[in-house]
Amino acid sequence: SCTRAQASLRILHRRRGQMGVAHLPERHNRREKEFLSLYLAVADADASGWTQRAHFSLTVISQIDEMLHASKNTSHTFEAGEDDWGFTQLVALSELYDVSKGFMVDDTVIINCEITVTEKSYL
């Protein structure tokens, strides 16, 4: 069972250059701590001389109302030193924990991530 304090997540099992979703609560200021924030991150991105341009969306899906969701999308060029990008205010925690909205059911949140890598280069 996951409590609110334990709700942070990181995708750890990725190969170099692959992308995954991360929640990075240490980046939040006081106002942003009232929101679920999610980022797309590139694994093992320390090496220089690479870029990946991607368009992506992150969506929190209601488990009781198929028409209800919280979603944002953007495009970004990932590279060493700027290997994650996302949203500091994807959905308010008050909405996430609101039982009538169904975003969290039995301590489970469903997050959908769609990624289209539009350009890759390695120097």
Side-chain angles (χ1 to χ4, degrees), residues 57-92:
S57 65
L58 295 169
T59 305
V60 179
I61 300 170
S62 172
Q63 298 173 58
I64 61 172
D65 181 351
E66 64 184 41
M67 301 302 290
L68 183 62
H69 61 276
S71 184
K72 292 193 178 183
N73 64 74
T74 191
S75 294
H76 183 70
T77 300
F78 297 85
E79 57 191 359
E82 195 165 308
D83 58 354
D84 58 61
W85 197 254
F87 310 102
T88 58
Q89 298 182 8
L90 184 62
V91 64

Side-chain angles (χ1 to χ4, degrees), residues 26-81:
E26 64 274 8
R27 292 188 178 180
H28 299 167
N29 63 37
R30 174 178 257 167
R31 169 93 171 108
E32 291 167 340
K33 288 185 179 181
E34 298 171 12
F35 293 86
L36 173 67
S37 54
L38 292 175
Y39 302 86
L40 186 64
V42 177
D44 300 322
D46 297 332
S48 62
W50 64 272
T51 62
Q52 288 188 12
R53 177 111 182 122
H55 178 79
F56 65 96
S57 65
L58 295 169
T59 305
V60 179
I61 300 170
S62 172
Q63 298 173 58
I64 61 172
D65 181 351
E66 64 184 41
M67 301 302 290
L68 183 62
H69 61 276
S71 184
K72 292 193 178 183
N73 64 74
T74 191
S75 294
H76 183 70
T77 300
F78 297 85
E79 57 191 359

Side-chain angles (χ1 to χ4, degrees), residues 9-24 37-45 50 52 54 56-58 78 83-87 111-115 117:
L9 69 104
R10 291 179 188 268
I11 304 300
L12 299 175
H13 303 291
R14 294 174 287 159
R15 294 183 189 157
R16 179 180 296 271
Q18 287 184 327
M19 295 182 176
V21 177
H23 172 65
L24 306 169
S37 54
L38 292 175
Y39 302 86
L40 186 64
V42 177
D44 300 322
W50 64 272
Q52 288 188 12
F56 65 96
S57 65
L58 295 169
F78 297 85
D83 58 354
D84 58 61
W85 197 254
F87 310 102
I111 299 167
N112 183 55
C113 179
E114 295 184 19
I115 306 166
V117 176

